[in-house]
Amino acid sequence: MKLKTTTFLFLLLAFLLMGFPFFVLAQTLDEDMAKAKAQVMAGEFKPAALAYKDILVKYKDLLRADGEKAGTVWEAFGDALNKAGWKDRAEGAFKRAEDAFKRAGKPRQILNGAMAGMAHPDEKTMNKYTMASLKNEKAQDHYRRGSAYFEDHHVLYAIMEFEKALEFEPENPELMDIAGRTMAEYGDVYFDKARGLMEKVRKSRGDPALQIPQWLALGRACAFAKKYDFKLAEEALSAAIKLNPKDFLANLYNGDLFLIQGEYKKSAEWFEKSLKVAAGDLRPLWGLGDSYTGLEDFKKALDFYSQAYELNQELPEAAFKFATGLKNVGRLDDSIHFHEVAIALDPSKAKYHLGLVAIYLPRIMDFSSKKHLDSALALEPENPWCHYYQGLYLEMRRRIDEAVAEYNLAAGYGPGMLDVKFQLANIFHAVGNSFPGNNFSCENPADRLEYLPYKDEKQAFRLYKEILAINPKYVQAAKINEYLAKLEEWADTEKRLKERIDKAVR
């Protein structure tokens, strides 16, 4: 009897100890939430937004396990961002809150078609919109809401409403058109959906009926979707240019298309053309900076990034691009400063934190790297670049199996993920990856042996081929061609050996 009692008490103690960390975390989470809420009540919206961001980072494991708590924090973060004037970022926070509540099986109370805290479409604006071809009342209502949101520059909310409308009338060409164009404009995770919708619109209407907006959306989506199609993108954007050679977006998107394929001189030409059409727009300047970065003329690239920043120093993307240019010319301390400026201007964007990770990791500044990597992962856990840098962080610590899992998550996110594919291919090729100054790096013969369990020549060959198919001028193209030659030699040897074995068996 005594033994049973002792066993029971031991198991009870173990159970309490297992649950104790989350219990304590939940208590301190409530305390931190109360402090941030007090800042909102006092009208200190920017400090409150930063406090909620810190909560997302500090309690990321707890929030990952509890969708309802995650939804509550994201909604509060969105409210603070909205009141602080970061309305675009607030939209994303509210969307994450909605997703978290759904994941927890507790959808948030809907008020006038939107989550509490989200901006609501103006009734007068909604009344301006009716789509005659829509027969379903609910589809019509969601379309009107989406159109009102779009007019008020709430693009993500507009997409959410158009998606709901499509649930009721999925084959309506007019609805597919506006939804596809809006998704292509927003980009990010919506490029694939945009491509699918715009291809349906093209098939339904025929090429002669398509105008510049439809061609632009199709071209843009085909260039950046996970299932990209550069040939179709070029065809669509060429059609837009034929309709109007001076259309700003047609020139800009052509620049982006050639940029992602490594045709840097061509991309620079298109960005120059778009700059002549709209001299005050920063996007052509950034495009020129990116093009000259590809051409390894880093000083000229920095000039363009600097021009853009001077035109709008309150724009976080301008500070971030300028910081990138400074990094490329070796001015790392200045680059760190302007990354921090970008974060201060918009504390909710993962890539600004990742820019600092890209500086700190090669300098083996582990604490600073982890701090900003955790921030990025907490803010945008689905962002493929977060998983890329998490993979680097893990691989540098010999945790190759975990790194491969992170790289695999990132590698499928469209044509922009060439660095991820290269890192992964090197693991499968068992040549490993270089981390100068780090305790673990492929230059050390003993370290390279640790890659052998992951050797998969077919996977390596496929990934190297994919990289060169997307961008033949990729920065590591020479090394890839060297590896491919060896892999082709290996494949030929394997083939001949198999043929000999088959003959011997017969």
Side-chain angles (χ1 to χ4, degrees):
M1 183 69 182
K2 186 177 180 182
L3 181 60
K4 287 184 178 179
T5 305
T6 305
T7 303
F8 172 76
L9 289 171
F10 175 78
L11 290 171
L12 178 63
L13 179 62
F15 174 77
L16 289 172
L17 286 172
M18 284 170 65
F20 184 71
F22 275 120
F23 173 74
V24 173
L25 278 174
Q27 274 194 320
T28 53
L29 169 63
D30 291 340
E31 291 169 5
D32 286 347
M33 287 288 286
K35 290 175 186 175
K37 187 175 181 181
Q39 289 178 305
V40 173
M41 298 296 288
E44 299 172 359
F45 302 128
K46 288 189 176 182
L50 293 171
Y52 284 123
K53 187 203 86 169
D54 290 341
I55 288 169
L56 287 165
V57 177
K58 183 178 178 181
Y59 301 100
K60 66 180 188 301
D61 293 329
L62 173 63
L63 298 178
R64 193 178 295 122
D66 191 327
E68 188 175 9
K69 279 187 171 66
T72 302
V73 178
W74 276 109
E75 186 176 11
F77 185 35
D79 183 54
L81 287 167
N82 192 44
K83 288 173 178 172
W86 289 310
K87 298 188 184 298
D88 289 346
R89 304 307 295 170
E91 290 180 18
F94 287 130
K95 177 69 167 64
R96 291 177 192 280
E98 186 176 63
D99 291 343
F101 283 124
K102 284 180 182 176
R103 190 175 73 247
K106 297 181 180 180
R108 193 66 170 167
Q109 178 65 42
I110 301 296
L111 178 65
N112 296 329
M115 279 184 61
M118 284 171 66
H120 303 301
D122 180 68
E123 193 69 32
K124 289 181 180 178
T125 309
M126 284 178 61
N127 291 337
K128 290 162 56 177
Y129 296 96
T130 303
M131 188 178 285
S133 61
L134 287 174
K135 305 305 178 188
N136 184 285
E137 273 188 40
K138 289 184 178 178
Q140 188 73 256
D141 187 52
H142 287 302
Y143 162 71
R144 291 171 62 245
R145 277 184 185 287
S147 298
Y149 275 135
F150 189 81
E151 184 174 321
D152 291 337
H153 306 290
H154 296 298
V155 181
L156 182 57
Y157 296 171
I159 290 172
M160 291 162 67
E161 293 295 337
F162 293 148
E163 284 184 302
K164 290 171 185 173
L166 282 165
E167 289 175 11
F168 295 101
E169 294 203 21
E171 298 302 321
N172 184 299
E174 196 175 356
L175 182 60
M176 287 191 292
D177 181 16
I178 191 166
R181 285 189 284 118
T182 308
M183 289 174 184
E185 179 179 327
Y186 186 81
D188 201 20
V189 297
Y190 286 101
F191 280 126
D192 284 274
K193 286 185 179 179
R195 178 184 171 179
L197 289 169
M198 295 315 299
E199 285 183 332
K200 283 185 176 181
V201 170
R202 184 183 187 184
K203 186 176 180 181
S204 172
R205 293 183 179 174
D207 288 5
L210 298 188
Q211 298 300 311
I212 288 176
Q214 286 79 34
W215 287 121
L216 289 178
L218 179 60
R220 185 76 169 167
C222 286
F224 291 98
K226 289 180 187 178
K227 295 181 179 179
Y228 57 90
D229 186 333
F230 294 147
K231 187 176 179 182
L232 182 52
E234 189 170 355
E235 179 188 340
L237 295 176
S238 294
I241 286 289
K242 283 179 183 177
L243 290 171
N244 182 1
K246 292 186 178 181
D247 183 90
F248 170 69
L249 289 178
N251 284 281
L252 184 76
Y253 290 175
N254 266 295
D256 287 335
L257 175 60
F258 285 106
L259 180 68
I260 203 167
Q261 295 178 87
E263 297 287 345
Y264 302 120
K265 287 183 179 179
K266 286 185 180 179
S267 66
E269 289 170 7
W270 282 107
F271 289 131
E272 287 283 7
K273 289 177 183 178
S274 62
L275 189 62
K276 289 176 182 176
V277 177
D281 198 294
L282 303 190
R283 287 172 292 178
L285 291 171
W286 293 335
L288 284 163
D290 293 345
S291 298
Y292 283 103
T293 297
L295 291 167
E296 299 186 2
D297 189 342
F298 299 122
K299 288 184 178 179
K300 194 165 186 177
L302 181 59
D303 286 342
F304 287 112
Y305 294 139
S306 177
Q307 285 178 49
Y309 181 68
E310 289 302 319
L311 286 172
N312 191 341
Q313 296 187 13
E314 295 303 310
L315 195 66
E317 189 70 12
F320 171 71
K321 286 286 192 180
F322 186 39
T324 302
L326 289 164
K327 173 180 174 284
N328 290 338
V329 296
R331 292 169 57 183
L332 296 184
D333 290 339
D334 290 334
S335 179
I336 289 168
H337 168 72
F338 281 99
H339 274 103
E340 288 170 348
V341 168
I343 292 168
L345 290 168
D346 182 353
S348 67
K349 203 149 192 175
K351 75 174 182 179
Y352 303 155
H353 290 280
L354 293 177
L356 285 172
V357 176
I359 293 174
Y360 291 138
L361 264 184
R363 297 171 87 179
I364 324 300
M365 297 173 69
D366 293 353
F367 178 79
S368 297
S369 299
K370 194 70 170 69
K371 172 189 169 185
H372 288 283
L373 185 54
D374 283 347
S375 293
L377 281 163
L379 291 167
E380 296 178 27
E382 77 294 340
N383 186 320
W385 288 108
C386 291
H387 294 289
Y388 168 64
Y389 282 106
Q390 177 75 344
L392 289 179
Y393 184 85
L394 292 166
E395 190 181 350
M396 289 172 75
R397 281 147 190 80
R398 301 174 187 268
R399 292 157 66 181
I400 301 172
D401 53 341
E402 294 174 73
V404 169
E406 294 292 335
Y407 293 146
N408 274 323
L409 278 172
Y413 276 80
M417 309 307 297
L418 301 188
D419 291 342
V420 187
K421 292 177 188 288
F422 183 69
Q423 207 78 9
L424 195 55
N426 289 345
I427 292 174
F428 290 139
H429 192 27
V431 294
N433 290 298
S434 177
F435 304 106
N438 190 50
N439 287 331
F440 177 77
S441 186
C442 70
E443 288 84 5
N444 304 319
D447 292 343
R448 186 174 287 201
L449 289 174
E450 296 195 32
Y451 288 100
L452 285 176
Y454 307 93
K455 191 169 184 177
D456 186 335
E457 286 90 346
K458 288 181 180 178
Q459 284 271 55
F461 186 81
R462 176 183 62 81
L463 287 164
Y464 287 140
K465 280 286 191 181
E466 280 181 17
I467 293 168
L468 295 183
I470 293 168
N471 182 355
K473 296 179 182 177
Y474 178 60
V475 66
Q476 300 288 356
K479 190 172 284 187
I480 289 174
N481 280 315
E482 179 188 327
Y483 291 156
L484 282 172
K486 290 178 181 178
L487 284 167
E488 283 168 351
E489 186 180 332
W490 166 84
D492 187 53
T493 303
E494 286 282 302
K495 185 181 176 182
R496 281 187 278 121
L497 182 61
K498 186 177 181 302
E499 287 172 354
R500 287 179 183 178
I501 292 171
D502 288 344
K503 284 180 181 179
V505 171
R506 287 173 195 160

